[in-house]
């Protein structure tokens, strides 16, 4: 299978390395001026991994023309702009696999909706989501993930082609739930970082339970299956997001509370805006997401936000 991976960041480079181990013909594309791509062009390395000689490197987006599958791993808010560039090549009959987690702030679109809005109908769209860190995969630590698509044949093909003893893939069956759940877990990761930052890490268990319930309600209101929130897209990704030292979102939340600089991408910072907008439009209560938003964007102290959560009207655990 000829595959082009767009995005030389930590996840895109890991996907490139992984798909090469599955004996696919893989090309990694990145902007010539990007620091990550410059590193790979120099010695095929970044701070986390080394790409084998079998992987092709390109700074020319036309490399997608020969690919059967185009895997995309870039910041979620840049996806619309990328597709505007991709459409210069009028792609047809390709499979686009989105390996990011987010919701577009300006429109509330899921990432697969952005793809479908921009692509010729002959193209198919899938998402690749779930837990795992580059550092762990590269050193042989296995995990489970999900591939989902509205096209059943595409989904079956990708799962069969991509699965290995390192990553066991499951067939997804709820694009709405899987995409919202995957995006929302980054917001919960930031909330976990807040708790670490104020010395209340023992509350993470409650955060996990109530966060999952909150996201499940939102998924249901959007027409998805609430059960998806309890699967690999969301709850199954909590260890890698809520507890791990490698989690950018958790690290960002802790650094934010402590007033420390954090120079890495934390998708949850942007996603929380989209989720709050979505909740307001649907009339769905999202107490945790709203408090995270208020801390990040309105300067509310974390302890005040926590007090407000505890002061809410008492209710049954499950409605």
């Amino acid at each position: 299978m000829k595959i082009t991976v767009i995005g030389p960041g930590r996840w895109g480079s890991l996907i490139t390395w992984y798909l090469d181990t599955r004996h696919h013909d893989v090309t990694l594309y990145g902007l010539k001026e990007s620091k990550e791509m410059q590193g790979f062009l120099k010695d095929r390395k970044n701070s986390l991994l080394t790409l084998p000689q079998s992987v092709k490197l390109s700074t020319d987006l036309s490399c997608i023309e020969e690919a059967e599958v185009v895997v995309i791993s870039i910041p979620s808010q840049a996806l619309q702009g990328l597709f505007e560039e991709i459409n210069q090549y009028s792609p047809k009959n390709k499979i686009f696999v989105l390996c990011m987690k987010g919701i577009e702030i300006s429109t509330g679109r899921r990432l697969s909706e952005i793809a479908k809005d921009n692509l010729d109908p002959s193209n198919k769209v899938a998402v690749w989501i779930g837990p795992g860190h580059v550092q762990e995969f590269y050193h042989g630590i296995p995990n489970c993930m999900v591939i989902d698509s509205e096209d059943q044949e595409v989904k079956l093909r990708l799962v069969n082609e991509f699965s290995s003893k390192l990553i066991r893939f499951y067939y997804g069956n709820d694009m709405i739930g899987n995409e919202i759940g995957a995006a929302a877990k980054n917001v919960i990761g930031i909330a976990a970082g807040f708790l670490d930052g104020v010395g209340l890490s023992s509350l993470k268990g409650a955060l996990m339970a109530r966060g999952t319930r909150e996201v499940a309600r939102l998924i249901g209101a959007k027409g998805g299956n609430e059960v998806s929130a309890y699967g690999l897209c969301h709850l199954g990704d909590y260890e890698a997001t809520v507890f791990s030292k490698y989690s950018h979102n958790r690290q960002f939340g802790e650094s934010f509370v402590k007033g420390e600089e954090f120079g890495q991408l934390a998708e949850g910072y942007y996603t929380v805006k989209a989720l709050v907008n979505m909740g307001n439009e649907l009339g769905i209560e999202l107490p945790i997401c709203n408090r995270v938003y208020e801390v990040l964007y309105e300067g509310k102290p974390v302890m005040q936000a926590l007090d407000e959560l505890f002061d809410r009207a008492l209710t049954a655990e499950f409605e």
Side-chain angles (χ1 to χ4, degrees):
M1 184 182 285
K2 292 181 71 68
I3 301 173
T4 293
V5 178
I6 296 178
R10 63 175 189 163
W11 188 230
S13 60
L14 183 279
I15 290 169
T16 301
W17 169 84
Y18 174 73
L19 292 176
D20 180 79
T21 70
R22 301 297 300 136
H23 309 295
H24 296 294
D25 182 352
V26 187
T27 298
L28 174 62
Y29 164 80
L31 295 173
K32 182 168 53 179
E33 60 270 23
S34 82
K35 186 182 300 182
E36 295 88 352
M37 199 63 190
Q38 288 175 3
F40 286 124
L41 290 169
K42 178 183 177 183
D43 57 13
R44 309 186 73 84
K45 295 180 180 179
N46 63 14
S47 61
L48 300 173
L49 55 78
T50 299
L51 294 178
Q53 292 295 324
S54 50
V55 169
K56 303 179 187 71
L57 301 174
S58 178
T59 57
D60 184 347
L61 190 56
S62 66
C63 64
I64 67 170
E65 293 184 302
E66 295 184 3
E68 299 171 67
V69 175
V70 179
V71 178
I72 301 177
S73 178
I74 65 170
S76 61
Q77 302 306 314
L79 187 59
Q80 174 62 43
L82 173 64
F83 273 115
E84 290 169 7
E85 295 181 49
I86 286 174
N87 279 335
Q88 297 175 26
Y89 303 95
S90 303
K92 290 182 173 61
N93 301 308
K94 299 185 186 297
I95 300 172
F96 285 82
V97 184
L98 307 178
C99 298
M100 315 106 75
K101 300 166 182 176
I103 304 290
E104 189 174 49
I105 296 171
S106 59
T107 65
R109 289 182 297 176
R110 292 178 286 115
L111 304 187
S112 68
E113 292 177 314
I114 297 174
K116 287 190 292 183
D117 285 348
N118 284 275
L119 291 170
D120 182 88
S122 67
N123 297 289
K124 306 301 181 183
V125 179
V127 296
W128 170 346
I129 53 180
H133 287 296
V134 171
Q135 299 90 330
E136 294 174 342
F137 281 134
Y138 188 60
H139 290 98
I141 300 173
N143 217 318
C144 300
M145 304 188 81
V146 175
I147 289 177
D148 204 352
S149 175
E150 292 178 355
D151 187 292
Q152 295 300 310
E153 184 177 332
V154 164
K155 179 168 51 181
L156 294 175
R157 183 184 179 195
L158 292 176
V159 168
N160 290 333
E161 291 277 0
F162 291 176
S163 289
S164 72
K165 291 184 178 179
L166 185 60
I167 304 179
R168 174 181 169 85
F169 284 100
Y170 285 83
Y171 307 109
N173 57 13
D174 178 21
M175 287 287 281
I176 293 173
N178 278 321
E179 288 190 85
I180 292 175
K185 70 94 188 180
N186 286 327
V187 176
I188 303 302
I190 291 177
F194 289 167
L195 294 177
D196 288 334
V198 296
L200 292 175
S201 302
S202 61
L203 272 174
K204 286 185 182 180
L207 172 67
M208 291 167 63
R210 299 312 303 162
T212 305
R213 187 71 203 109
E214 181 170 316
V215 172
R217 287 198 304 270
L218 181 60
I219 289 171
K222 285 292 289 183
N225 185 346
E226 291 194 11
V227 174
S228 294
Y230 299 89
L232 289 166
C233 77
H234 189 76
L235 180 61
D237 207 351
Y238 272 7
E239 190 284 330
T241 303
V242 174
F243 296 100
S244 176
K245 63 182 179 180
Y246 300 128
S247 168
H248 278 187
N249 289 281
R250 192 209 60 76
Q251 290 180 65
F252 169 77
E254 182 174 358
S255 297
F256 187 91
V257 168
K258 293 180 176 180
E260 299 171 352
E261 189 73 21
F262 185 76
Q264 304 297 321
L265 172 68
E267 282 281 12
Y269 178 82
Y270 305 100
T271 300
V272 72
K273 271 190 172 183
L275 294 183
V276 167
N277 290 341
M278 196 179 292
N280 289 338
E281 290 170 3
L282 295 168
I284 300 298
E285 190 177 14
L286 302 173
I288 295 172
C289 290
N290 278 296
R291 297 297 90 73
V292 170
Y293 177 87
E294 290 164 359
V295 171
L296 293 178
Y297 290 96
E298 298 177 359
K300 178 171 289 186
V302 169
M303 293 308 299
Q304 180 183 341
L306 189 61
D307 285 344
E308 291 175 0
L309 286 173
F310 271 78
D311 286 341
R312 295 170 63 242
L314 301 179
T315 184
E317 182 178 14
F318 297 104
E319 301 87 349

